[in-house]
Structures are given as structure tokens and as C-alpha cells.
Amino acid sequence: MAAEIAALAKLRYDTFFAGGERTLEQDRDEIGNFIRNQGYEIALVAEQDGRLAGTCLFVREEIDPQHDVSPWLAGLVVVPEFRGRGIATLLVGAIEVHARSLGCERLHLYTYGAEGLYASLGWQAIERFRDDHGLCVLMAKDL
């Protein structure tokens, strides 16, 4: 499982944290602990042909939330060579199913560049704002 966690951490680090203060080792340790202690919060991993294709999280809190809402769909990323195959749609759908199974009525997310994807899946933009990374959109979906 260590190799899978390392690959997952590398994908997340390259997508979300490279060039910032967070290190690859920090993300590897955190995602490893997160995976080993799943319950309410979960990490989903998509594989295709035995290879990591994507991942998505369901969490109570975002890393640096600008809004006091919960729960969150977070960390959706699909490996570039697997994009356009519906993997993101499947991951988002599975997170929504999990949230509903827990009695959640509304789910939130932040996105910098995938508003169109989420809108096509029934998510609504709630607020647009600028942060250190650029223009961000808070989106929500009633479950």
C-alpha cells in the first residue's frame, strides 16, 4: 500500500501543492493517515488498467477554508492521460452517494478552473472571490 500512497501523494502534490509551503512528504504522511483512518471522511481512488487514474476526497473541513461550511468535496484530480473518460464524473458521483448515505443535505467545493465540469453535474456557483491562487469559485450541490 505504501507505493499506492506515494503515487497518490505525488499526483496531489503536483496538482495542488507544488511551489507552496507544503512538502510532498507532508502530503504523503497526511493522505496515508487519512486513508488508514477512513470513516465519515473518505478518499476515493480511481484506477484504470491497474494504474492510478484519479482521486477525490470527502472531508469535514477544507485545508484553508474561506467559508464556514461543511462538508466538502475536495482534491478532485484526474491524471492527464485519463482525462475525458468520465473518471471525474464517476468520482464526484461516488462522493455524492457517500455524502447522502451519511445524511448530508448539501455538499461544497472550491474550484479554480473546473466550474464548467461541476455545473454540468448539477453544482451551482455560490460565490466568486480572489485568493492567493487566483479566482476561486465556491460551489454547492443540494443532495
Side-chain angles (χ1 to χ4, degrees), residues 10-88:
K10 176 81 169 110
L11 174 62
R12 288 173 38 82
Y13 179 80
D14 290 347
T15 303
F16 301 114
F17 307 116
E21 294 180 18
R22 186 181 183 101
T23 67
L24 175 59
E25 291 75 22
Q26 286 173 311
D27 197 61
R28 185 194 61 231
D29 292 345
E30 284 185 23
I31 199 69
N33 288 332
F34 188 86
I35 288 171
R36 286 187 287 277
N37 296 304
Q38 293 191 88
Y40 178 86
E41 296 182 308
I42 63 168
L44 299 180
V45 175
E47 292 184 352
Q48 189 160 6
D49 300 324
R51 296 177 27 221
L52 174 63
T55 186
C56 193
L57 306 176
F58 172 80
V59 296
R60 282 186 176 91
E61 298 175 359
E62 263 287 3
I63 292 175
D64 291 318
Q66 303 293 315
H67 300 84
D68 187 22
V69 294
S70 182
W72 295 88
L73 181 150
L76 174 64
V77 60
V78 175
V79 174
E81 69 186 87
F82 293 111
R83 291 181 184 159
R85 299 182 188 183
I87 292 170

Side-chain angles (χ1 to χ4, degrees), residues 68-117:
D68 187 22
V69 294
S70 182
W72 295 88
L73 181 150
L76 174 64
V77 60
V78 175
V79 174
E81 69 186 87
F82 293 111
R83 291 181 184 159
R85 299 182 188 183
I87 292 170
T89 299
L90 292 172
L91 287 167
V92 170
I95 292 290
E96 291 171 2
V97 167
H98 177 72
R100 270 190 225 97
S101 77
L102 297 170
C104 298
E105 296 179 2
R106 190 169 221 211
L107 197 51
H108 306 86
L109 64 82
Y110 288 132
T111 184
Y112 290 93
E115 181 178 354
L117 167 68

